Amino acid sequence: MLPRSFTEEQNMFRSAYRKFLEQEIAPNLERWREQGIVDREAFTKAGEQGFLMIWPEEQYGGMGDNDFRFEQIIIEETSRIHGGDWANTLHSRLVGPYINRFGNDEQKARFLPKCATGETILAIAMTEPDAGSDLAGMRANAKDMGDHWLLNGTKTYITNGINSDVVIVAAKTDPENNPYAVGLFLVERGMEGFERGRNLKKMGMKAQDTAELFFKDVRIPKENVLGDATKGFIYLMEGLAEERLIGACGFLSGAHRAFEVTREFTMERKVFGKPLSKMQNTEFKMADLRTEIDVAQAYVDQCVVAHNAGLLTSEDAAKAKLYTSELLCKMVDEGVQLHGGAGFMDEYPISRMYTDARITRIFAGSSEIMKLIIGRDLYSDKFVSFFE
């Protein structure tokens, strides 16, 4: 693999975070999968050591460093222990920045410090039973009652749905006149009318609590609205490039881990008196996969550079999300095949990697939606020739 660019401070951070994961997270993963939810202490322990939210200003409990490479390290190291069930990055780098970007000073001071310590766990609720990628089709709505908003609706497949203390809920605020008028509402645990459904059973990511959320005449104070209550759709679009980059980093890290697990197995497994790794078919398949993973890593690392410079477009991020999710699924499928019958056994890591990977081609925008975004861009007036 080509050399990668991390600062000395970031390399030290990686070493410290790896040690934290090995001591506090990895030993609990199996128990969390069995119980279907991560202990809240995972967030508070990470917060205590400064590993949960890096980017907030020091006054809000962070380091004040917005360099995405810190989160890239967190994602990669979490994948190393096969700990993607713990939705720490969703809390810290996907949901938290909405409060930072669109919240006022009072909201930042009220919410961010406890988010940084892990005392407050975050979630975001966009998806509904009849509205996934098509946000314009959402039915959740909020009515302006003068001194507060009245929120009604249902959300589903919400990560951190059980553990969350604050949920950013997207709801239409003028459904009759403008389907794109959406508000982002900070719904807090214990608000009357806010109820959680069951912890949904899933194909993979067993320890990640995923739930249905119900809102019936929930009274939302005006001070719990992020920014303009009609511009939430725009706010959500602004966060998509980073959301897809987060996904790409995680998917590619998962592919690296699946590759190494498969490599180790094929070196140990004997077939017809010699290691499976000595078979030409195995060498060719693994060579193809290694090449694709390394090329993808170069692209994703460059996306991180562009993102830090404020230059990452939603289209380029969509390419990263599309390619890495498809590559991860290809890698785990080949990994299971090269494991043979062992790959079908739950005790082998590749089996869980296979089931965990399948959702990656769906969430944060399905592969089909990514292709639609990329296709529309390359046939638009914004298209730039390689030769210009």
Side-chain angles (χ1 to χ4, degrees):
M1 184 165 55
L2 293 172
R4 304 179 70 200
S5 178
F6 293 98
T7 66
E8 182 178 354
E9 180 186 10
Q10 288 164 350
N11 288 328
M12 292 173 62
F13 178 86
R14 183 187 292 273
S15 296
Y17 185 63
R18 178 176 293 186
K19 183 177 180 181
F20 165 77
L21 289 174
E22 291 173 346
Q23 292 179 344
E24 303 291 351
I25 303 301
N28 295 299
L29 288 173
E30 186 60 30
R31 178 172 59 82
W32 292 341
R33 289 182 184 119
E34 290 176 358
Q35 68 187 25
I37 190 170
V38 171
D39 292 342
R40 292 180 61 89
E41 287 74 14
F43 291 88
T44 54
K45 287 181 177 179
E48 287 171 4
Q49 298 192 38
F51 293 133
L52 194 56
M53 295 178 80
I54 309 302
W55 54 265
E57 297 297 326
E58 291 185 15
Q59 69 190 86
Y60 300 132
M63 290 170 48
D65 194 330
N66 202 40
D67 190 330
F68 187 84
R69 287 177 294 180
F70 281 105
E71 199 66 37
Q72 187 178 20
I73 289 168
I74 289 173
I75 294 168
E76 291 174 356
E77 291 300 315
T78 304
S79 292
R80 177 180 172 271
I81 63 162
H82 194 202
D85 298 37
W86 178 34
N88 57 327
T89 291
L90 178 135
H91 162 90
S92 64
R93 192 78 198 205
L94 197 154
V95 185
Y98 283 104
I99 298 174
N100 190 56
R101 283 198 296 263
F102 309 116
N104 55 39
D105 289 342
E106 185 276 331
Q107 289 170 331
K108 294 177 187 178
R110 181 156 48 108
F111 291 108
L112 288 180
K114 288 190 175 182
C115 293
T117 62
E119 296 171 80
T120 294
I121 298 174
L122 298 172
I124 189 164
M126 294 183 281
T127 302
E128 299 183 2
D130 297 316
S133 298
D134 179 19
L135 292 179
M138 74 170 61
R139 296 183 180 180
N141 63 89
K143 186 176 181 180
D144 191 346
M145 305 301 289
D147 63 341
H148 67 278
W149 291 83
L150 204 61
L151 174 65
N152 285 279
T154 301
K155 300 292 183 176
T156 194
Y157 310 144
I158 306 305
T159 302
N160 286 347
I162 302 296
N163 268 334
S164 55
D165 301 291
V166 174
V167 184
I168 297 179
V169 180
K172 290 185 176 181
T173 51
D174 189 12
E176 295 182 0
N177 301 308
N178 183 2
Y180 294 99
V182 171
L184 299 183
F185 300 90
L186 295 162
V187 179
E188 301 178 60
R189 180 185 292 276
M191 283 186 168
E192 187 175 352
F194 170 33
E195 297 182 2
R196 303 167 202 261
R198 58 196 172 93
N199 190 355
L200 300 171
K201 294 183 178 180
K202 307 182 297 297
M203 175 192 292
M205 296 188 177
K206 302 286 189 179
Q208 189 181 96
D209 55 308
T210 306
E212 301 166 306
L213 304 180
F214 304 98
F215 309 93
K216 184 177 181 181
D217 292 335
V218 181
R219 186 186 178 101
I220 308 295
K222 286 294 179 77
E223 56 266 27
N224 277 38
V225 180
L226 286 178
D228 189 322
T230 66
K231 295 183 178 179
F233 190 81
I234 296 172
Y235 298 159
L236 293 171
M237 295 303 103
E238 287 184 21
L240 283 180
E242 180 162 299
E243 179 181 358
R244 289 165 185 158
L245 181 58
I246 288 169
C249 290
F251 308 154
L252 193 51
S253 300
H256 278 291
R257 187 71 187 112
F259 179 89
E260 293 186 7
V261 164
T262 302
R263 177 181 176 273
E264 292 168 6
F265 181 87
T266 56
M267 291 174 69
E268 296 173 1
R269 174 68 169 168
K270 296 292 194 301
V271 179
F272 300 115
K274 63 180 180 179
L276 182 58
S277 59
K278 296 297 183 181
M279 301 291 187
Q280 189 181 67
N281 178 69
T282 304
E283 292 178 338
F284 280 14
K285 282 185 176 295
M286 293 293 279
D288 281 342
L289 290 164
R290 182 75 260 169
T291 300
E292 291 185 58
I293 291 170
D294 284 356
V295 170
Q297 189 66 66
Y299 181 75
V300 169
D301 284 348
Q302 190 59 33
C303 283
V304 171
V305 171
H307 184 57
N308 277 337
L311 300 174
L312 182 64
T313 66
S314 60
E315 292 81 14
D316 284 337
K319 295 169 190 173
K321 196 276 176 184
L322 170 65
Y323 190 80
T324 55
S325 61
E326 295 286 340
L327 177 55
L328 170 59
C329 288
K330 178 181 179 180
M331 178 63 245
V332 295
D333 185 65
E334 292 285 8
V336 168
Q337 191 70 20
L338 288 169
H339 274 69
F344 197 64
M345 300 297 109
D346 187 63
E347 64 187 276
Y348 286 85
I350 195 66
S351 175
R352 291 181 178 179
M353 291 177 182
Y354 182 91
T355 53
D356 286 353
R358 188 57 187 86
I359 189 61
T360 63
R361 289 158 57 196
I362 299 173
F363 66 25
S366 68
S367 291
E368 291 75 18
I369 294 295
M370 296 302 101
K371 291 177 182 178
L372 186 63
I373 292 168
I374 298 164
R376 286 179 174 174
D377 178 64
L378 64 89
Y379 282 111
S380 73
D381 293 337
K382 296 189 298 179
F383 176 75
V384 177
S385 170
F386 174 78
F387 300 100
E388 288 187 7

